[in-house]
Amino acid sequence: MSAETVSVTGWGRTAPTAARLIRPRTYEEAAAAVRGCGARGGIARGLGRAYGDAAQNAGGAVLDMTGLDRVHVIDAANGIVLCDAGVSLHRLTRVLLPLGWFVPVTPGTRQVTVGGAIGADIHGKNHHVSGSFSRHVLSFELLTADGEIRTVSRGTPLFDATTGGMGLTGVILTATVQLQPVETSLMSVDTERARDLDDLMARLSATDHDYRYSVAWIDLLARGASMGRAVLTRGDHAPLDALGPRARREPLAFRTPRLPAAPAFLPEGLLTRTTVGLFNELWYRKAPRARTGQLQSISAFFHPLDGVPHWNRVYGRGGFVQYQFVVAYGQEDTLRRIVRRVSERRCPSFLAVLKRFGDADPGWLSFPLPGWTLALDLPAGLPGLGALLDELDEEVAAAGGRVYLAKDSRLRPELLAAMYPRLDDFRALRAESDPRGVFVSDLSRRLSL
């Protein structure tokens, strides 16, 4: 087990803090690291794709769990896998896809560990059908503050506190996950343009039930009659009979194109209203008005940015803020007001996506609830950004919505209880199971979790 003091940030590259990074290679080493993490406590970390400070711990310990990455058992008949928490969704896809199985929920990157997927209770383009990742987790092994390893099953308080609990109930060591059957490694994709936000929401509401996966890219710089114009992309796993003769020879082949990495140093101010506006215009215009049945690879459909290593560097040294919120169905006016405010402020966001969520998941701090979720990236140095997002937080909370803790880096703690009604239950369980505060992060200190 190695350890060194390093500067740690989230994927947004904001607010770095120094911590002792520990790399356990066995369960016993992980337990020893938890016992010896010191007065400032410790937090587990996977591949570092939480955008904010959820996997940082200033002055304390951070446990890099990627060394625990074994796939233990695959039940190919029933589609169940038992693996270490440090296994990435990328590796699971490589191992499982040739057997005709796919991860049940994937976010916009494969570079997420199974432990991180549970801790953040990640969602994807299929939440309206499949829910969050935890809905497909049968059980997991959790290293708790007392040094014990507990098998945690669905339907228990510890399960519901851990799924979405941002690593604050313990260190996940292994997980047993139910998988999604597929016939091919290709997606059948329908693409269409929406002329404005109301047109987009009407299209999503009318036909989302016909698709397993659905997402819309929104041009947040468009104003006036075009406000919220979008490119809507929906699809499902392609059946074998949709493939041509050549593709049928290897119907489950998994290919991942890779482009050059973004340079380590990019000039500040690269993403301006002008440059992002030009990108958005080109992206919208190049999209087909309506196209059905296009075959795309899993990588192209789910994870296009994974093809550009270190794409987060494009925002420069100052990094960026990823802001994601959800408001319930019936609160469409709140969504409209927020889109209008961002549009009128001319905020340069080229990664802005809208999705529909289905039924809420049982995790006490799980993010999704039935409604509309909008995620957008913004340069951290944008003038007035903090004040704007504070105002949006208040509007979201007043509408009964919430922000996503796995992406948050600046939410004010007084709004948290309004957003997460089970917060007191979560705090009570932590106080009982971890009275010494062994598990702690910059996020938990900032929000008094």
Side-chain angles (χ1 to χ4, degrees), residues 43 50 54 119-120 161-169 365 405-406 426 441 443 449:
I43 192 71
T162 301
T163 54
M166 306 311 300
L168 297 172
T169 62
L365 297 186
L405 297 183
F426 180 80
S441 65
L443 173 78
L449 287 171

Side-chain angles (χ1 to χ4, degrees), residues 192-233:
E192 59 190 283
R193 289 190 216 166
R195 63 181 179 272
D196 57 33
L197 183 60
D198 285 338
D199 182 33
L200 172 61
M201 289 193 291
R203 291 170 187 254
L204 284 166
S205 299
T207 58
D208 240 18
H209 59 275
D210 294 330
Y211 297 89
R212 179 177 295 276
Y213 303 100
S214 178
V215 67
W217 168 88
I218 295 184
D219 181 2
L220 287 179
L221 284 175
R223 292 184 291 179
S226 297
M227 185 193 78
R229 68 178 181 176
V231 178
L232 177 55
T233 306

Side-chain angles (χ1 to χ4, degrees), residues 15-261:
T17 55
R20 187 162 50 97
L21 187 68
I22 304 172
R23 297 183 177 89
R25 300 297 177 185
T26 65
Y27 305 148
E28 291 76 17
E29 288 184 352
V34 167
R35 288 192 296 269
C37 60
R40 294 286 288 180
I43 192 71
R45 181 180 176 94
L47 288 166
R49 287 315 196 271
Y51 285 78
D53 52 5
Q56 298 174 217
N57 183 20
V62 171
L63 280 64
D64 180 343
M65 298 300 293
T66 57
L68 292 167
D69 63 350
R70 291 171 295 173
V71 178
H72 294 281
V73 178
I74 300 172
D75 180 347
N78 296 301
I80 297 173
V81 63
L82 168 62
C83 63
D84 283 344
V87 174
S88 70
L89 299 191
H90 172 79
R91 183 162 175 230
L92 273 188
T93 302
R94 282 200 172 281
V95 170
L96 298 171
L97 197 55
L99 303 177
W101 297 100
F102 187 60
V103 291
V105 171
T106 180
T109 176
R110 298 184 306 277
Q111 305 304 326
V112 175
T113 62
V114 170
I118 296 170
D121 202 12
I122 60 169
H123 57 271
K125 298 178 174 73
N126 60 339
H127 190 277
H128 62 293
V129 173
S130 302
S132 295
F133 194 85
S134 66
R135 195 177 298 184
H136 309 272
V137 176
L138 305 179
S139 64
F140 52 80
E141 289 184 304
L142 187 71
L143 174 62
T144 52
D146 57 8
E148 297 295 319
I149 297 176
R150 289 172 165 77
T151 299
V152 184
S153 300
R154 293 168 64 172
T156 62
L158 188 54
F159 188 98
D160 292 343
T162 301
T163 54
M166 306 311 300
L168 297 172
T169 62
V171 179
I172 300 169
L173 297 177
T174 70
T176 302
V177 183
Q178 178 69 60
L179 305 168
Q180 166 71 33
V182 295
E183 294 183 10
T184 76
S185 61
L186 296 176
M187 305 297 297
S188 178
V189 181
D190 295 352
T191 306
E192 59 190 283
R193 289 190 216 166
R195 63 181 179 272
D196 57 33
L197 183 60
D198 285 338
D199 182 33
L200 172 61
M201 289 193 291
R203 291 170 187 254
L204 284 166
S205 299
T207 58
D208 240 18
H209 59 275
D210 294 330
Y211 297 89
R212 179 177 295 276
Y213 303 100
S214 178
V215 67
W217 168 88
I218 295 184
D219 181 2
L220 287 179
L221 284 175
R223 292 184 291 179
S226 297
M227 185 193 78
R229 68 178 181 176
V231 178
L232 177 55
T233 306
R234 295 178 289 188
D236 206 338
H237 298 278
L240 186 61
D241 58 15
L243 274 58
R246 175 178 292 184
R248 288 193 192 189
R249 296 173 191 165
E250 295 182 289
L252 292 166
F254 180 50
R255 299 180 176 88
T256 55
R258 192 175 179 87
L259 299 174

Side-chain angles (χ1 to χ4, degrees), residues 9 19 21 37 80 83 104 157 215 226 245-246 249 296 316 329 334 341 375 385 392 394 415 438:
T9 73
L21 187 68
C37 60
I80 297 173
C83 63
V215 67
S226 297
R246 175 178 292 184
R249 296 173 191 165
Q296 294 183 8
Y329 297 125
T334 301
R341 292 187 67 178
L385 178 62
L392 298 187
E394 292 185 6
L415 292 177
V438 172

